[in-house]
Amino acid sequence: MKLTPRELDCLHWASYGKTSWEIGRILGIAERTANFHLSNTCAKLAVCNRMAAITAAIKLGLLPDPNLPGEHFDKMESLQTLPGPNDHEPGLTPARAAGSAPRATSQHPPRRRKGGTSR
C-alpha cells in the first residue's frame, strides 16, 4: 500500500496532535480536505481512526517514530501561518482560531421569569 504525499503530510501533523482544522491551516487546505486525506489513510491502512493510522504508519516505517531522537523534524515555521487572536478571519472567533471548539451562543435575549420580577 502506498500513501500519497498529502496523506503523509496530514498524518504527520496528526501525529503531533494537530486537529483537522489546524492541519488544514498549516497545509493551506480546507478542514474537510484534511479529513478526506486522513480518512483515505485509515482505509488504506485498514484501521478505524487516526490514532490507529499513526501507530500503523510508524510500525510500517511510513512515519518516523517521534520517540527516537534525530528521526523527526519540526516545522515550527509552518505554525506561524496560523492566525493569532487579533487577526482572525471573518466569522472565525479568536478561540476557534486558537484551536478550541466554538461556543454555542443564543441569538435571543434572555427569557423573562414568570411573575414579572427579575432577580
Side-chain angles (χ1 to χ4, degrees):
M1 133 264 343
K2 183 168 171 72
L3 299 180
T4 67
R6 191 55 100 184
E7 289 167 347
L8 285 171
D9 286 343
C10 290
L11 199 58
H12 165 80
W13 286 111
S15 73
Y16 280 94
K18 299 297 179 192
T19 64
S20 296
W21 184 85
E22 291 170 320
I23 293 168
R25 294 294 296 179
I26 292 167
L27 299 177
I29 59 177
E31 177 182 12
R32 176 69 186 100
T33 306
N35 282 330
F36 170 78
H37 290 304
L38 289 168
S39 177
N40 286 345
T41 302
C42 289
K44 288 179 180 181
L45 296 174
V47 295
C48 22
N49 60 47
R50 70 174 65 191
M51 290 305 292
I54 293 164
T55 303
I58 291 171
K59 286 182 178 181
L60 292 170
L62 300 173
L63 281 180
D65 188 340
N67 297 317
L68 297 177
E71 277 205 32
H72 64 286
F73 57 94
D74 202 3
K75 292 183 179 178
M76 292 306 290
E77 69 277 358
S78 296
L79 296 179
Q80 294 174 358
T81 61
L82 291 175
N86 295 323
D87 57 347
H88 60 277
E89 297 171 357
L92 185 63
T93 64
R96 182 69 173 137
S100 63
R103 288 189 195 165
T105 58
S106 174
Q107 299 296 324
H108 304 287
R111 291 185 180 194
R112 296 179 132 208
R113 298 176 66 94
K114 287 188 177 181
T117 60
S118 60
R119 290 187 177 191

